[in-house]
Amino acid sequence: MRRPEPLYRAVIMLARTIFLINGYRFTIKGERHVPRTGGAVMAINHTGYIDFVLAGLGARKSRRWVRFMAKKSIWQHWLAGFFMRGLKHIPVDRRAGGAAFKEAVAKLSDGEVVGVYPEATMSRSFEIKELKKGTARMAQESGTPILPTIVWGAHRIWTKDVPKRLGRTKFPIHITIGEPIHVGPDDDITAVTEQLREVMKQLLDETIAAYPKLTGDELRFLPARLGGTAPSYEVAYAKDHKDMTRVKDQFTKD
């Protein structure tokens, strides 16, 4: 029996109102792959700061609420923290992620849908980066399927290194959910992670192909290999490495 979610429902209604005011146009494919009951790991690509606000829409046709894993610092903000706790999302301490992993597995085992970002950090190239193995591990440990999920268009609203555009933009937002990947108890986690990445890469290309053509300045939101002016995978990797080094140095000072 599903638990009542008055706060989550209210947040979704508010979000939909904001989306309508801003003129966002949604195209959602593969909603049928989200199970109506039982746990599932929604593995989402990460190109923008509001991906998680939008990815959950892909589960609403199945009447599911998604519990997202997000960095712990968000919980420290008085207002954001209130909502993160109320919506039962999962705080992740990047220096010690064991507690978040255990909480995610517990929620999955309890029949929840958990949203994760297997790339761990945002992709500046808008390509699918190397994936962490935690997604496959939690699916295996909880006995739940992985739902490869692509959100495309949200990065045009707010992403790294580009001024955010939060007003009325009328941007199309495409969400694609692929067929579930089932992980057996004896499956090789590395192989499953590689399979997930290949599936997500294919879904990304299919989603981009169906998206309205980008031109002019908007080409900065298109991967370089597709004729866009976004940083190449290699250049983006170098920037990400520099960011991670700076964060590690900050932790060391603390």
Side-chain angles (χ1 to χ4, degrees), residues 23 77 149 192 251:
H77 186 278
T149 304
V192 173
F251 284 154

Side-chain angles (χ1 to χ4, degrees), residues 31 39 46 56 59 64 66 68 77 106 111 119 121 126 133-134 176 179 187 197 245-246 251-252:
E31 293 169 291
H46 198 12
R64 305 303 303 275
V66 182
F68 288 96
H77 186 278
E119 297 166 284
T121 59
F126 309 128
K133 297 178 183 179
T176 306
E179 294 184 6
D187 287 350
R197 185 175 186 233
T245 301
R246 185 165 54 245
F251 284 154
T252 301

